[in-house]
Amino acid sequence: MSFSSFSSCASCFLQNHQGVGGGRYSRRTSRQSRPSSSSSRRQRRVLFLRVCAAQRTSGNDDDLDEDEDATKTKQQHQRNEKKPKKNIAVFISGGGSNMRAVHAACETGEIHGQISLVVTSSYNAGGVEWAMDRDVPVLLYPGGKDLEESERISPSELNEFLKNEYKIDVVLLAGYLRLIPPELCRTFENKMLNIHPALLPAFGGRGMHGAKVHEAVVNSGARFTGPTVHFVNENFDEGKIVAQRIIRIDPSWTAEEVARRVLKEEHEVFPEVVAALCDDRIEFRETDGVGVIIDKMDSNKRY
Ligand code: GRF
């Protein structure tokens, strides 16, 4: 996807955004108070991208358990039906496979939410095209060196867009490689999750991302690895942990093999935690604020 094709889409979005065209953006605009002062200048500065046309029996005990599980899941869905779906913003810098896993779980109803906005640090992130194909608005933040200073949005504009324009409830960092502005961390305290491809607090921190993480794990001789889902604070990979999955490492595995297996686990654990957050099923341990999930099948169980 080239820069020029995004630019033409951006102008299309702005038309709708200013109420000239139809569609969801104009409706949004009419419902919400628009930024009044220097609004046209700001709108020019906010570079949104959007796609121009959206394409697109009973029996043994096991059966009894399954029936019971199905009933409990149905009950959770019924409770959720009474509540509005949570608006989710996903921040990406790469392929966006975790974003797609979250989207799939939204589609099946496992997550009572919808991806309402994608924020990307790069035009070239694979997930951008995926989002545009589904008519999900995409916001570039903070933008690369090729972006004019006047086209950039500031951290407070980003915060305002998420909070007021898109009414975002939950923020997900799914392979986003830039530091999140502190004010966003404050606005979305305990509402912003990151997925990291190793067992934190080891193998995390600034610069520890992608292949580097798995190489460090393999080179260390560690025998276990797995993804960590944690809340986001102002420091890389330091927020409170909510969930982890464990994989035993075979000493013959390469970093690529480890990466492949960890990613597969990520696609299960991330939607599971997002579902809990959207259902308000995460509690915070009184002593230190660690996030604890309330089991969806049994509200007396915590993990
Ligand atoms: C994942 O490994 C995640 O743990 C890390 O970045 C990677 C993103 O992958 N934070 P994808 O873009 O979701 O495929």
Side-chain angles (χ1 to χ4, degrees):
M1 182 69 58
S2 70
F3 177 85
S4 57
S5 60
F6 277 116
S7 302
S8 60
C9 286
S11 60
C12 168
F13 173 81
L14 287 174
Q15 266 200 337
N16 280 341
H17 206 58
Q18 287 158 354
V20 176
R24 58 194 282 204
Y25 302 101
S26 335
R27 284 204 297 280
R28 233 176 237 291
T29 303
S30 62
R31 264 198 288 121
Q32 294 164 7
S33 58
R34 305 287 308 130
S36 52
S37 66
S38 56
S39 63
S40 61
R41 203 173 117 248
R42 178 188 277 164
Q43 281 166 357
R44 275 199 304 280
R45 291 180 61 203
V46 176
L47 187 60
F48 269 94
L49 317 165
R50 70 160 288 198
V51 70
C52 300
Q55 297 38 292
R56 331 162 278 274
T57 31
S58 76
N60 58 28
D61 286 353
D62 286 351
D63 290 336
L64 285 176
D65 284 351
E66 278 173 22
D67 284 351
E68 207 177 307
D69 283 359
T71 309
K72 284 184 175 166
T73 306
K74 204 170 153 202
Q75 282 166 353
Q76 177 71 48
H77 284 179
Q78 280 165 349
R79 277 196 295 277
N80 277 340
E81 269 164 23
K82 294 184 190 135
K83 298 186 202 159
K85 284 186 180 178
K86 296 276 168 48
N87 284 321
I88 301 172
V90 189
F91 283 51
I92 56 168
S93 298
S97 67
N98 279 287
M99 172 176 70
R100 294 197 295 276
V102 166
H103 172 76
C106 291
E107 294 282 285
T108 61
E110 183 197 340
I111 294 176
H112 192 59
Q114 62 207 359
I115 299 180
S116 307
L117 180 66
V118 170
V119 178
T120 181
S121 60
S122 162
Y123 285 125
N124 299 320
V128 168
E129 199 165 351
W130 179 93
M132 290 176 70
D133 283 347
R134 278 151 193 82
D135 206 19
V136 177
V138 180
L139 171 62
L140 182 68
Y141 181 85
K145 291 195 185 93
D146 56 343
L147 208 61
E148 296 285 328
E149 205 46 48
S150 62
E151 290 174 321
R152 290 179 193 280
I153 61 169
S154 66
S156 47
E157 283 171 325
L158 176 68
N159 198 33
E160 188 186 305
F161 260 90
L162 263 65
K163 205 169 61 164
N164 298 327
E165 183 77 17
Y166 282 92
K167 309 280 183 219
I168 295 299
D169 302 297
V170 166
V171 176
L172 305 180
L173 308 187
Y176 186 72
L177 298 179
R178 306 297 289 264
L179 194 62
I180 297 295
E183 61 185 284
L184 214 67
C185 295
R186 287 194 291 275
T187 302
F188 292 98
E189 191 184 2
N190 293 335
K191 298 287 174 203
M192 192 187 312
L193 292 168
N194 180 46
I195 178 127
H196 183 77
L199 295 170
L200 291 174
F203 306 110
R206 186 180 282 276
M208 278 301 255
H209 55 79
K212 278 189 213 156
V213 178
H214 304 294
E215 278 157 18
V217 168
V218 169
N219 292 341
S220 74
R223 294 300 203 271
F224 293 95
T225 188
T228 300
V229 181
H230 63 95
F231 283 109
V232 176
N233 66 13
E234 293 172 22
N235 304 316
F236 276 111
D237 302 327
E238 283 186 17
K240 299 290 185 192
I241 292 170
V242 194
Q244 292 184 312
R245 287 286 171 87
I246 295 176
I247 297 165
R248 180 185 278 276
I249 302 174
D250 184 297
S252 69
W253 289 354
T254 60
E256 290 75 27
E257 177 68 14
V258 171
R260 194 180 62 73
R261 289 172 187 259
V262 171
L263 192 61
K264 198 161 164 264
E265 289 294 326
E266 290 183 33
H267 296 161
E268 290 184 12
V269 71
F270 204 30
E272 183 184 319
V273 179
V274 176
L277 189 58
C278 289
D279 290 347
D280 301 315
R281 282 189 293 105
I282 299 186
E283 283 182 350
F284 298 94
R285 204 158 65 182
E286 263 178 38
T287 43
D288 52 13
V290 161
V292 178
I293 297 177
I294 302 170
D295 194 298
K296 128 173 120 177
M297 298 299 178
D298 181 350
S299 57
N300 294 316
K301 259 200 225 158
R302 307 280 187 276
Y303 63 95

